[in-house]
Amino acid sequence: MSIVAIIRSGERSTQARLAAEALRQAAARQQQDIAIEIDGQPALAAAQLAGARQVLLVDNPDDGRVGRLPARRVTLDQVLADPAAQLDGSAAGEHALSIVAITGCPTGIAHTFMAAEGLTQAAKALGYAIKVETQGSVGAQNALSAADIAAADLVIIAADTQVQLDRFAGKPLFKAGTKAAIADGQGLIRRAQAEAQPWAADHAPAAAAAKPDKAKDGPYRHLMTGVSFMLPFVTAGGILIALAFALGGIYAFDDAHKGTLAWSLFQIGAKSAFALMVPILAGYIAYSIADRPGIAPGMVGGMLAASLGSGFLGGIVAGFIAGYATRELNRRIQLGQHLNGLKPVLILPVLGSLLVGLLMIYVVGQPVAAALAALTEALKGMQGSSALALGALLGAMMAFDMGGPVNKAAYAFATGLIASQVYTPMAAVMAAGMTPPLGLALATRLFRDRFTLDEQEAGKAAGVLGLAFISEGAIPFAARDPLRVIPALMAGSALAGAISMTMGVELKVPHGGVFVLPIPNAVEHLGSYLIALAAGTAVTALMLRVLKKPALG
């Protein structure tokens, strides 16, 4: 019995031949027999494959002839670097599972990297090789190369937003959320091994694949994809508007200031960045549902929502209409192999835009605009008990699951209202999101007997994360003792949100924590905001003291 190597050269024919010769020489030194096929030449006989004790697939993601034979996937670069090691692994029958993964969350900050760390540690514990690409707020990091993907046995997508999957065609792929990777990385990898299905080139699971999990591909995921793409526009626009007012006063936008730096900053922030918020939201909701063909109809619908006065609510409606309509059109319109290429660039954008446009103008736009106007007036007029109740509700939601669906629902609600110049919910939400890790950091200093030594050290990091408005810094504490920690966190966050709303604090940017507070006009009633933060943090720490039992070690 011999070793069989099947090499696909792609555009690297010279390297493929060098790799083949290196394998032959390494096999001769080890006194092993090897048969090599490069791009089908010379074709291996069925008897050679059947008699192989091991198959080496070089830059070859799959080969139908291999069947159930023990196969080991490696890259050309690995063979050229150390051909003997590849043969040693083959001879020993070793095949450590090779995994590639992508993680991403709506804000692209905490959950993205926590999920990546969870998968990396889990794979290490299981003895598997893994490379994780993080699609965070600064773009893709540790990006997967074509060679990485070709050599992978399994693809895991642990993301709460839409991820482009074209490059994984034909690879066993499994989709989950970031929470699964953070909570139980090893369990997620084992589940992926058992349930992964080949991903087809048409962006849908292959025919043999199981039906998709609705929880992983439902409206919440699509909405969060739109919100994640919208956030940078909200942040940039809000800060630039605040700077414009700081330099030119509250009338910086007036024609009397035309040509000044303040006027220019307002044009960039309000007339450009903010003007794009709703179209981006709608376009990427549609993209999440229908892939690239949904972007144009979604953005057209979003522009109409903005012009009709239906704001972010209209943008959400337009995004879902455009996405589902375009996806349905894509399924129903079949033009044959030669004309199907026209669908994504001509037919689907035109028909999708026409459909969503007509519905927004004649059916949806005006009722949603009226609903948004009523909501805006109600929120702007909130005082006393009403403001207190809403602030407490938003605050409790922010602390309930710290980056989970409930938290993100409150955050998306507040962020969307910025487009309608309603800033009080955003202030309440950010104060409430900062309070859990800050309260824990304070409690680990004041009430050390309630925490283990590890938790006391983790409290320092939680404090830094809290200052940056990263609620996820509280997750390790909540995971260890959820029945006591989560109620304490919710109490402090509800108080912070309630005080912020009741005092009419306004926040014009959706992220940044304490680092945006010094920006002029970013926060209205800064003193009241600091009081809300301090009160929420103190109550969180005190509640932890009351609810938690003394630590055992």
Side-chain angles (χ1 to χ4, degrees), residues 20-113:
E21 184 58 29
L23 287 172
R24 289 191 186 95
Q25 292 180 12
R29 288 193 295 271
Q30 297 178 8
Q31 297 183 336
Q32 298 188 68
D33 294 327
I34 187 169
I36 301 176
E37 174 186 296
I38 304 176
D39 295 331
Q41 300 296 327
L44 293 168
Q48 288 177 294
L49 287 167
R53 70 172 182 272
Q54 182 72 9
V55 178
L56 201 63
L57 298 176
V58 184
D59 270 5
N60 187 353
D62 200 7
D63 193 302
R65 296 171 297 172
V66 173
R68 296 184 177 275
L69 289 172
R72 184 165 183 261
R73 293 170 175 81
V74 297
T75 66
L76 271 173
D77 293 330
Q78 288 174 314
V79 172
L80 291 169
D82 193 348
Q86 312 312 318
L87 294 179
D88 288 342
S90 298
E94 298 172 356
H95 181 203
L97 189 72
S98 178
I99 304 170
V100 292
I102 294 178
T103 63
C105 69
T107 55
I109 301 176
H111 273 60
T112 299
F113 300 100

Side-chain angles (χ1 to χ4, degrees), residues 435-445 451 459 462 473-474 477-478 485 489 540-541 544:
T435 298
L438 288 176
L440 279 160
L442 180 61
T444 57
R445 302 276 73 79
F451 301 91
F477 298 88
V485 171
L489 303 183
T540 298
L544 288 165

Side-chain angles (χ1 to χ4, degrees), residues 245-316:
F245 289 152
L247 293 174
I250 60 172
Y251 298 109
F253 59 87
D254 195 277
D255 285 343
H257 295 82
K258 191 170 184 179
T260 65
L261 178 59
W263 180 88
S264 299
L265 290 174
F266 187 85
Q267 300 303 308
I268 298 169
K271 303 296 185 181
S272 300
F274 264 28
L276 286 168
M277 283 169 48
V278 174
I280 291 293
L281 172 66
Y284 281 95
I285 289 174
Y287 159 77
S288 181
I289 299 169
D291 216 314
R292 293 180 185 178
I295 292 180
M299 289 194 176
V300 169
M303 284 293 292
L304 285 168
S307 64
L308 292 170
S310 57
F312 85 98
L313 290 180
I316 292 172

Side-chain angles (χ1 to χ4, degrees), residues 100 102 144 149 155 157 165-171 173 199:
V100 292
I102 294 178
L144 301 174
I149 296 170
V155 179
I157 308 297
L165 301 176
D166 299 36
R167 50 184 165 157
F168 301 116
K171 306 295 292 188
L173 184 144
W199 191 256

Side-chain angles (χ1 to χ4, degrees), residues 233-391:
F233 295 87
V234 183
T235 303
I239 290 177
L240 290 172
I241 291 170
L243 291 174
F245 289 152
L247 293 174
I250 60 172
Y251 298 109
F253 59 87
D254 195 277
D255 285 343
H257 295 82
K258 191 170 184 179
T260 65
L261 178 59
W263 180 88
S264 299
L265 290 174
F266 187 85
Q267 300 303 308
I268 298 169
K271 303 296 185 181
S272 300
F274 264 28
L276 286 168
M277 283 169 48
V278 174
I280 291 293
L281 172 66
Y284 281 95
I285 289 174
Y287 159 77
S288 181
I289 299 169
D291 216 314
R292 293 180 185 178
I295 292 180
M299 289 194 176
V300 169
M303 284 293 292
L304 285 168
S307 64
L308 292 170
S310 57
F312 85 98
L313 290 180
I316 292 172
V317 173
F320 280 106
I321 291 175
Y324 287 120
T326 303
R327 188 170 74 178
E328 190 62 25
L329 288 169
N330 191 23
R331 287 175 178 172
R332 292 182 178 275
I333 298 174
Q334 299 297 327
L335 301 177
Q337 181 178 357
H338 299 293
L339 294 178
N340 264 343
L342 293 175
K343 285 202 300 181
V345 296
L346 175 62
I347 296 171
L348 295 178
V350 171
L351 293 181
S353 298
L354 177 64
L355 180 59
V356 71
L358 291 174
L359 286 172
M360 289 301 296
I361 292 171
Y362 292 111
V363 181
V364 177
Q366 293 305 322
V368 175
L372 180 65
L375 176 63
T376 301
E377 288 303 313
L379 289 170
K380 285 183 176 179
M382 269 192 173
Q383 294 179 354
S385 60
S386 297
L388 186 148
L390 179 61

